[in-house]
């Protein structure tokens, strides 16, 4: 594997400053031992006008196999011969990215004790990688690097120059140029994007990789148009790690978004909606129906269980009849967005005393949600696997036992009225099920009987004479005190 970094300079700012930044002297050729081979750093040219540093990584394919690191993509071993005869010694991959972070660790962090002013100074840079696997072709290479300000040349490498009819290989010769970029930024881009293009990690991907990705992606990954692809590939498509990284990146993006900008967007959307005289969205109708049912029950202290991003909490806060509103959700990302939506950090003391956001799971009992007048489960139950519903049922109806419980869920019979919804599909990719009216009534009646509640059913949205309403709501009212039921 081979990579070069070139910069130009002037007598006042000599190009050989690259040696200070990389912490490697231009007059020396140095070798560094790694667990998968030897990394060499040398300077093919070094003067005041132009300086090039080269990283040559000699990979010991046999040692990789013998140490258990020679398995194929996804951890499945290749054929015996393929473990030894492959492209690892020649094509840039995650091994080269690891070598970059190891050999040039100080440079990647932007640290230079000898010349502390150098790391922050942008400089012209040219980076060349003669052989880079690019699963996605030159087009993907450009989509990854161009948004970061690089001028990209990605030339496909033919399978065989003597037989051009065979077409191109999956490798490209990569050149990146920038007239004003810090070396630390360039190294972090390479550290993340080289394994993304190769679409493989040659070592076990653990939760520590999330932290490495976010450190290297600081300042650029959260806003990158290909963020989802980068995150997924870098983390070897491990869903749990990808989701964790995505949530943390979303928090970064939200923290960088100006509140006034959010308000301007919201106002623009509202104005457009009014101008087009659109019908009231179902989500708004649902919140209005919930608010009306809560007021009819006389509830003052209300729980929004599975509050998501706080839309219902925000609506309830507008009504002084509700003296305390608690939103609970398992996702910290959702709660952070809810906090920003509600502007809790700028809310007046009196108003702030009425609202609280808690992290918690409805799969477990929670003393914090006991003693409230009412609880709302709005579009929540369908996101749980059916075997987990009994746990939620006990946590809410058996343990917390509010006087009133409102449960809304989609009516699957109404799905035929959605022109944009393909036949047989649920309304949201995360829905584990969607019930008919009969199925929802059967579940609700059984829950009410087991826990001493009465239950009524209220349509939400247009009540179609054939298929019913788009949303069905059950209103549970406590009829048997817990002590009497236990006796």
């Amino acid at each position: 594997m081979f990579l070069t970094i070139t910069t130009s300079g002037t007598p006042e700012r000599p190009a050989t400053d690259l040696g200070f930044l990389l912490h490697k002297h231009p007059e020396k050729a140095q070798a560094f031992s790694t667990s998968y081979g030897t990394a060499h750093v040398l300077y093919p040219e070094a003067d005041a006008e132009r300086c090039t540093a080269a990283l040559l990584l000699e990979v010991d394919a046999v040692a990789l196999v013998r140490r258990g690191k020679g398995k194929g993509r996804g951890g499945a071993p290749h054929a015996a011969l393929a473990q030894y005869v492959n492209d690892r010694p020649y094509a840039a991959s995650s091994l080269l990215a690891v070598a970059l972070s190891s050999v040039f660790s100080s440079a990647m962090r932007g640290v230079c004790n000898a010349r502390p002013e150098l790391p922050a100074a942008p400089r012209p840079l040219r980076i060349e990688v003669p052989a880079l696997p690019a699963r996605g072709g030159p087009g993907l290479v450009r989509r990854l690097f161009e948004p970061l300000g690089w001028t990209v040349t990605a030339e496909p490498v033919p399978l065989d120059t003597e037989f051009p009819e065979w077409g191109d290989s999956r490798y490209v010769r990569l050149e990146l140029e920038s007239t004003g970029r810090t070396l630390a930024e360039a190294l972090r881009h390479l550290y993340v994007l080289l394994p993304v293009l190769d679409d493989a990690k040659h070592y076990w991907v653990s939760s520590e990789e999330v932290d490495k990705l976010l450190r290297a992606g600081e300042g650029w990954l959260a806003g990158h148009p290909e963020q989802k692809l980068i995150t997924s590939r870098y983390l070897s498509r491990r869903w749990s790690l990808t989701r964790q990284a995505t949530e943390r990146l979303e928090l970064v993006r939200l923290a960088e978004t100006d509140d006034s900008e959010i308000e301007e967007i919201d106002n623009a959307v509202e104005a457009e909606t009014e101008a087009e005289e659109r019908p009231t969205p179902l989500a708004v109708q649902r919140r209005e129906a919930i608010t009306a049912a809560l007021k009819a029950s006389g509830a003052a202290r209300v729980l929004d269980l599975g509050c998501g991003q706080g839309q219902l909490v925000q609506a309830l806060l507008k009504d002084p009849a509700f003296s305390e509103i608690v939103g609970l959700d398992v996702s910290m990302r959702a709660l952070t967005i809810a906090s920003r939506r509600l502007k809790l950090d700028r809310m007046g003391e009196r108003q702030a005393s009425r609202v609280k956001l808690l992290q918690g799971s409805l799969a477990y009992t929670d003393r914090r949600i006991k003693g409230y007048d009412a609880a709302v489960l709005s579009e929540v139950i369908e996101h749980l696997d059916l075997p987990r519903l009994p746990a939620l049922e006990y946590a809410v109806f058996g343990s917390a036992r509010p006087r009133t419980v409102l449960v809304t869920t989609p009516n699957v019979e109404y799905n035929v009225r959605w022109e944009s919804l393909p036949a047989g599909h649920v309304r949201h990719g995360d829905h584990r099920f969607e019930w008919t009216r009969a199925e929802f009534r059967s579940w609700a009646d059984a829950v009410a009987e087991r826990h001493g509640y009465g239950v009524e059913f209220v349509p939400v949205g247009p009540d179609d004479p054939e298929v019913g309403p788009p949303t069905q709501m059950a209103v549970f009212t406590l009829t048997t005190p817990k002590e009497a039921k236990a006796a």
Side-chain angles (χ1 to χ4, degrees):
M1 302 181 192
F2 191 66
L3 176 147
T4 61
I5 303 172
T6 301
T7 187
S8 57
T10 64
E12 294 76 22
R13 294 185 58 190
T16 48
D17 284 348
L18 184 63
F20 286 100
L21 288 168
L22 294 175
H23 294 252
K24 305 293 182 288
H25 199 288
E27 295 181 4
K28 296 180 180 180
Q30 296 175 271
F32 303 88
S33 178
T34 71
S35 60
Y36 42 79
T38 304
H40 302 269
V41 178
L42 59 149
Y43 289 79
E45 54 182 344
D47 56 42
E49 294 183 356
R50 184 178 170 92
C51 184
T52 298
L55 175 63
L56 172 64
L57 181 61
E58 289 185 297
V59 175
D60 187 341
V62 175
L64 279 176
V65 174
R66 290 177 177 174
R67 294 171 187 170
K69 300 179 180 180
K71 292 185 178 181
R73 302 175 192 281
H78 286 175
L81 182 61
Q83 295 187 52
Y84 297 95
V85 182
N86 49 54
D87 66 355
R88 291 192 201 104
Y90 315 105
S93 67
S94 59
L95 296 180
L96 183 60
V98 172
L100 280 171
S101 67
S102 176
V103 177
F104 299 142
S105 59
S106 297
M108 188 175 291
R109 296 196 311 271
V111 175
C112 181
N113 295 330
R115 299 279 299 279
E117 76 282 2
L118 290 181
R123 62 186 56 252
L125 291 172
R126 178 185 178 89
I127 295 171
E128 296 182 60
V129 184
L132 173 65
R135 295 181 182 272
L140 179 60
V141 178
R142 288 189 287 271
R143 297 205 319 267
L144 294 182
F145 283 101
E146 285 181 349
L148 301 174
W150 292 100
T151 300
V152 180
T153 302
E155 298 179 353
V157 177
L159 282 171
D160 195 310
T161 55
E162 295 185 6
F163 299 96
E165 65 272 15
W166 288 3
D168 295 326
S169 68
R170 68 183 183 92
Y171 303 93
V172 300
R173 185 179 67 81
L174 176 65
E175 294 181 3
L176 302 173
E177 290 190 81
S178 176
T179 56
R181 176 170 308 285
T182 67
L183 180 63
E185 289 174 332
L187 292 174
R188 289 196 293 266
H189 294 167
L190 293 169
Y191 176 77
V192 173
L193 297 181
L194 290 182
V196 167
L197 285 166
D198 187 25
D199 197 13
K201 282 291 185 73
H202 296 89
Y203 53 87
W204 174 249
V205 176
S206 66
S207 58
E208 294 179 355
E209 294 299 301
V210 176
D211 294 327
K212 294 178 184 178
L213 173 63
L214 296 185
R215 283 197 299 269
E218 184 178 357
W220 63 272
L221 182 55
H224 197 290
E226 298 291 342
Q227 179 216 108
K228 291 183 179 179
L229 180 143
I230 293 170
T231 304
S232 176
R233 284 194 176 190
Y234 184 88
L235 297 170
S236 297
R237 292 184 172 84
R238 291 190 61 187
W239 180 84
S240 59
L241 299 182
T242 302
R243 179 178 178 181
Q244 179 184 343
T246 301
E247 290 183 351
R248 290 172 63 179
L249 286 168
E250 178 66 13
L251 295 180
V252 173
R253 188 190 66 79
L254 288 171
E256 295 174 349
T257 303
D258 185 72
D259 287 334
S260 62
E261 180 182 342
I262 295 176
E263 292 174 1
E264 289 175 5
I265 294 173
D266 289 343
N267 293 337
V269 172
E270 290 175 5
E272 180 183 353
T273 301
E274 293 175 359
E276 296 182 5
E277 298 183 352
R278 295 178 180 175
T280 304
L282 180 59
V284 176
Q285 296 182 58
R286 189 160 47 240
R287 289 193 290 271
E288 291 174 348
I290 290 170
T291 302
L294 289 172
K295 295 188 72 172
S297 73
R301 303 176 65 237
V302 178
L303 298 164
D304 182 8
L305 303 178
C307 65
Q309 298 180 7
Q311 292 93 332
L312 178 60
V313 174
Q314 185 179 43
L316 296 179
L317 272 174
K318 296 176 182 178
D319 194 322
F322 305 112
S323 60
E324 183 179 354
I325 304 148
V326 175
L328 181 140
D329 203 279
V330 71
S331 169
M332 276 303 301
R333 171 178 175 270
L335 292 173
T336 300
I337 296 174
S339 177
R340 289 179 59 84
R341 178 188 296 276
L342 299 171
K343 299 180 175 63
L344 289 182
D345 58 335
R346 291 180 286 167
M347 190 177 287
E349 183 177 350
R350 183 175 180 180
Q351 187 78 332
S353 67
R354 296 175 58 212
V355 62
K356 185 187 302 181
L357 298 178
L358 303 175
Q359 183 185 24
S361 170
L362 295 175
Y364 306 97
T365 59
D366 191 334
R367 289 180 296 177
R368 297 175 299 173
I369 63 175
K370 291 184 177 182
Y372 283 82
D373 299 329
V376 178
L377 291 160
S378 179
E379 309 300 286
V380 171
I381 61 172
E382 64 273 10
H383 290 272
L384 275 70
D385 293 317
L386 285 171
R388 300 184 67 186
L389 272 184
L392 174 144
E393 174 191 329
Y394 180 76
V396 176
F397 295 91
S399 176
R401 295 186 69 76
R403 291 203 316 265
T404 300
V405 181
L406 307 182
V407 179
T408 73
T409 192
N411 168 24
V412 71
E413 298 170 78
Y414 192 89
N415 286 0
V416 296
R417 297 292 189 257
W418 298 111
E419 295 181 1
S420 60
L421 186 64
H425 285 237
V426 294
R427 299 184 196 176
H428 189 282
D430 190 52
H431 285 185
R432 304 301 198 265
F433 62 88
E434 288 179 358
W435 275 333
T436 64
R437 287 169 290 174
E439 289 171 329
F440 182 51
R441 285 173 179 265
S442 176
W443 174 81
D445 286 338
V447 169
E449 183 177 357
R450 281 193 291 268
H451 299 284
Y453 282 81
V455 61
E456 297 180 355
F457 300 92
V458 179
V460 178
D463 196 355
D464 189 285
E466 295 182 1
V467 297
T471 296
Q472 42 193 341
M473 179 166 70
V475 181
F476 296 85
T477 304
L478 186 63
T479 59
T480 305
K482 186 173 184 179
E483 295 77 8
K485 187 174 184 294

